[in-house]
Amino acid sequence: MPRRKRTAGSSSDGTADSDDSAEPEKTDSGSHSDPTVRSSARLTRASLRLSQSSQDAPPDVKQIERDESPPRTPTGNAPSSESDIDISSPNASHDEGAAKDHKDSGSDPSHRPKRRRFHESYNFNMKCPTPGCNSLGHLTGKHERHFSISGCPLYHNLSADECKVKATERDKQEDERSQTHNEDNRHATRHQAPTPRQVKYKEKVQEIRKRRDTGLTKEQKEKYMEHRQTHGTTREPLLENITSEYDLELFRKAQARASDDLEKLRMQGQITEGSNMIKTILFGRYELDTWYHSPYPEEYARLGRLYVCEFCLKYMKSQTILRRHMAKCVWKHPPGDEVYRQGAISVFEVDGKKNKIYCQNLCLLAKLFLDHKTLYYDVEPFLFYVMTEADNTGCHLVGYFSKEKNSFLNYNVSCILTMPQYMRQGYGKMLIDFSYLLSKVEEKVGSPERPLSDLGLISYRSYWKEVLLRYMYNFQGKDISIKEISQETAVNPVDIVSTLQSLQMLKYWKGKHLVLKRQDLIDEWKAKETKRGTNNKTIDPGSLKWTPPKGT
């Protein structure tokens, strides 16, 4: 379906919380992407998306919805330190042409291109990221090559031949199990007792588990320690003798099945494991194309697609995990205090110290759409003002801005972001206006964190221009003072002067600076204001219920 063009970018540089990003709608006090270049969000249901993908896939590839391999870190929780994150990006690319060979080939079978083998759908310049691996073999034993850790036999301390042998054994066991299951259920009733074969199998499993040693021998511990010191995190830890052979085999089957599912999704172009960059995220009703790299844990980033809870912002590996999470998640709005409500729009004040995990996840999410944002985990010195739009399912994230609790330079914004699906709808200007409303309540003059990028400056100057023209339209006196404008609008005098100069409304004459009232600009602004009418999104100061924090 056609994509909307996006209008956002990144942040300012060299600041304590250098996540300031602005643009006319996805505002940010830093650099932004060109509004006419990048695409934003594709509004779609996940089930519709997956069903369409399965329809486009070759006939022998069916969409299978299962959980991927178990996460190695608590799902959705940000790592405790940046040392837990690998932000390297292996040089890998994926040829998605294989999934399209069957399309647009005409009705005559003789003219249809032959279906490629699985490994032929890859670019052979790709290489498995496991050190010392030649990309031959596959954990499932069904493919000749692999290009990711999930399918790497060497990473799992196996050889390609061993994987093929295990695949044959699994297929044989599956056939036997299916046959016995059909025989046992041929005349089964709904509440029938276990068959003798089932009882015998259960006793066999119990016996296998009893024979397992409760602990590792000294030699085994030394072997495992040597393996860990030699390979570190580039190999899977040795798992033999840690549990029973039966349970270990179950785990191996689950690994192989998950790896097979990932290969099928990769054939359809839904994930690009190995690129170490998230390409898309599923966020509520939207599937969003990401614009920049965000340092999510490697096991999540390498999948290429991330599933994020739109309320608590926890990140997950699969749609199945997300669906189970949403069934249990009790969050319907951001944590913290609701300080503003006007119709369906609300703003919540979230303390980075009290709600650390949520704020960290918010920063990681924002980095997907901001270029120079560098703050992810040190969120305690900041307050986050999260804007939401409510409906009968909850309060949906529209955007946010962060603000230092104690800013010596009176910066009222450190980072500001509008989510791609809400861009070019006036929400970015609302966030800027709200930040200045807080400055007015604090009886301070505010300004976004510096330095501003070029596009960030354009975004803020658009707001400052509107503020100044509105002020002059309502001004009835003869002598105008920049100091008085600053006190009434909470805009820094430096920003006012620079905006007047850009509008050619400030002139130097006979040793004095004069502000010229350009009626043409004022009339043009008024005409646009009238045309927008009631659809113009504005902040109502009377709807704010907030007092400046003390002792922060």
Side-chain angles (χ1 to χ4, degrees):
M1 61 186 293
R3 301 180 179 177
R4 287 183 285 175
K5 296 183 178 180
R6 70 173 197 176
T7 59
S10 61
S11 65
S12 62
D13 309 321
T15 55
D17 179 15
S18 73
D19 50 309
D20 328 295
S21 49
E23 48 86 44
E25 295 305 331
K26 166 200 169 273
T27 58
D28 177 41
S29 46
S31 61
H32 294 267
S33 308
D34 189 287
T36 62
V37 175
R38 298 184 181 274
S39 60
S40 60
R42 299 189 299 275
L43 173 58
T44 176
R45 293 287 182 182
S47 58
L48 176 62
R49 171 81 181 186
L50 293 179
S51 64
Q52 290 175 345
S53 300
S54 61
Q55 292 173 5
D56 292 341
D60 59 338
V61 180
K62 295 181 180 179
Q63 176 64 39
I64 300 179
E65 183 181 280
R66 293 191 181 98
D67 293 359
E68 283 82 350
S69 54
R72 302 176 194 167
T73 61
T75 302
N77 290 342
S80 58
S81 65
E82 296 190 42
S83 61
D84 297 331
I85 300 174
D86 177 14
I87 60 174
S88 61
S89 298
N91 182 18
S93 59
H94 174 242
D95 179 12
E96 300 180 2
K100 302 178 182 178
D101 284 346
H102 67 291
K103 299 175 64 177
D104 302 328
S105 56
S107 58
D108 187 355
S110 62
H111 294 290
R112 295 178 183 176
K114 295 182 180 179
R115 188 179 300 117
R116 299 180 183 178
R117 292 183 179 180
F118 175 75
H119 67 273
E120 292 177 348
S121 66
Y122 282 94
N123 184 337
F124 281 90
N125 292 326
M126 294 175 62
K127 184 179 179 182
C128 175
T130 303
C133 181
N134 57 7
S135 296
L136 296 178
H138 198 279
L139 182 64
T140 61
K142 300 178 181 179
H143 310 296
E144 296 299 325
R145 298 178 68 86
H146 68 275
F147 304 98
S148 60
I149 293 178
S150 65
C152 178
L154 185 62
Y155 175 81
H156 295 89
N157 303 307
L158 299 170
S159 65
D161 293 336
E162 288 176 329
C163 291
K164 292 181 179 179
V165 171
K166 288 182 178 292
T168 303
E169 294 176 353
R170 286 193 296 268
D171 292 341
K172 184 178 179 181
Q173 292 174 1
E174 188 65 26
D175 292 340
E176 293 177 352
R177 181 177 178 276
S178 178
Q179 183 178 356
T180 56
H181 180 75
N182 292 334
E183 293 177 356
D184 292 340
N185 291 303
R186 184 172 300 171
H187 303 290
T189 61
R190 184 173 183 180
H191 301 290
Q192 185 179 11
T195 64
R197 185 185 286 107
Q198 292 172 337
V199 173
K200 184 177 180 180
Y201 182 76
K202 181 178 179 181
E203 293 175 351
K204 178 183 176 181
V205 172
Q206 291 176 345
E207 185 65 26
I208 292 175
R209 287 173 171 168
K210 287 180 181 179
R211 290 201 302 264
R212 180 178 66 87
D213 294 334
T214 56
L216 299 175
T217 63
K218 182 178 180 181
E219 291 76 10
Q220 290 172 339
K221 291 181 178 179
E222 291 177 353
K223 180 181 178 181
Y224 292 176
M225 187 61 66
E226 181 181 358
H227 179 274
R228 182 176 181 181
Q229 292 176 351
T230 302
H231 301 290
T233 58
T234 61
R235 296 280 186 88
E236 182 184 67
L238 296 178
L239 303 177
E240 286 72 16
N241 301 317
I242 291 181
T243 185
S244 66
E245 294 181 2
Y246 174 81
D247 293 317
L248 179 58
E249 184 61 25
L250 282 181
F251 178 70
R252 292 296 189 192
K253 288 180 180 179
Q255 281 185 317
R257 177 174 292 182
S259 179
D260 195 32
D261 290 348
L262 289 174
E263 297 293 356
K264 292 176 180 178
L265 291 174
R266 191 176 296 106
M267 275 190 66
Q268 300 168 21
Q270 294 189 27
I271 58 175
T272 55
E273 184 170 356
S275 64
N276 200 31
M277 176 177 173
I278 299 167
K279 304 296 184 183
T280 60
I281 63 171
L282 204 65
F283 190 78
R285 298 179 297 134
Y286 300 91
E287 182 182 7
L288 307 177
D289 288 331
T290 62
W291 305 339
Y292 305 103
H293 170 78
S294 182
Y296 281 96
E298 182 198 1
E299 59 188 290
Y300 294 88
R302 72 186 184 205
L303 295 177
R305 170 181 286 185
L306 204 62
Y307 299 81
V308 182
C309 174
E310 63 174 329
F311 298 118
C312 69
L313 304 185
K314 288 187 177 181
Y315 45 89
M316 287 148 270
K317 288 185 173 182
S318 73
Q319 186 184 2
T320 303
I321 299 176
L322 175 62
R323 185 170 59 249
R324 292 174 179 173
H325 168 81
M326 295 303 296
K328 298 180 292 183
C329 184
V330 297
W331 290 37
K332 295 301 178 185
H333 59 77
D337 301 324
E338 184 181 23
V339 297
Y340 178 88
R341 181 187 293 183
Q342 181 187 16
I345 301 298
S346 296
V347 177
F348 293 82
E349 182 184 66
V350 185
D351 192 330
K353 185 176 182 180
K354 296 179 181 178
N355 300 278
K356 187 174 181 179
I357 297 300
Y358 177 87
C359 295
Q360 288 175 341
N361 289 338
L362 180 61
C363 288
L364 287 173
L365 177 65
K367 180 61 182 74
L368 294 171
F369 309 103
L370 303 178
D371 190 9
H372 298 117
K373 179 177 172 62
T374 57
L375 174 72
Y376 315 113
Y377 303 115
D378 185 20
V379 296
E380 296 183 5
F382 296 89
L383 292 172
F384 294 79
Y385 292 90
V386 184
M387 180 175 288
T388 63
E389 186 175 48
D391 60 15
N392 56 358
T393 61
C395 297
H396 305 279
L397 176 64
V398 172
Y400 86 99
F401 68 87
S402 59
K403 177 181 179 181
E404 280 188 280
K405 297 176 181 177
N406 296 296
S407 175
F408 296 103
L409 299 176
N410 287 334
Y411 289 142
N412 60 2
V413 164
S414 293
C415 168
I416 187 164
L417 167 75
T418 303
M419 292 296 291
Q421 66 270 30
Y422 291 100
M423 290 179 183
R424 305 191 67 83
Q425 301 178 40
Y427 292 105
K429 190 172 293 184
M430 288 182 68
L431 284 169
I432 295 179
D433 199 18
F434 188 82
S435 68
Y436 279 102
L437 177 59
L438 298 184
S439 296
K440 292 177 184 178
V441 175
E442 292 178 303
E443 298 181 351
K444 295 180 180 180
V445 172
S447 181
E449 217 170 84
R450 305 306 173 101
L452 289 170
S453 66
D454 293 337
L455 291 176
L457 180 60
I458 292 173
S459 181
Y460 262 87
R461 186 162 288 167
S462 173
Y463 172 78
W464 294 330
K465 173 184 174 181
E466 184 174 324
V467 169
L468 289 176
L469 293 177
R470 181 183 293 109
Y471 181 88
M472 292 187 177
Y473 177 80
N474 297 321
F475 183 73
Q476 301 297 330
K478 294 182 179 180
D479 297 329
I480 193 168
S481 168
I482 292 178
K483 183 177 180 181
E484 292 177 357
I485 298 176
S486 177
Q487 291 175 347
E488 291 193 28
T489 62
V491 178
N492 192 292
V494 176
D495 300 331
I496 295 175
V497 171
S498 64
T499 305
L500 290 174
Q501 289 175 340
S502 67
L503 296 175
Q504 297 182 357
M505 297 176 68
L506 189 65
K507 298 295 182 181
Y508 185 77
W509 187 69
K510 292 185 178 181
K512 295 181 179 180
H513 288 281
L514 302 178
V515 176
L516 303 180
K517 185 177 181 181
R518 292 187 56 182
Q519 194 63 38
D520 57 334
L521 294 179
I522 298 175
D523 293 340
E524 181 183 352
W525 164 81
K526 185 58 180 178
K528 291 182 179 179
E529 193 81 2
T530 304
K531 185 177 180 180
R532 283 196 292 255
T534 57
N535 294 328
N536 188 20
K537 293 182 173 65
T538 57
I539 292 294
D540 176 24
S543 300
L544 179 67
K545 307 296 180 183
W546 180 79
T547 55
K550 297 180 180 179
T552 56

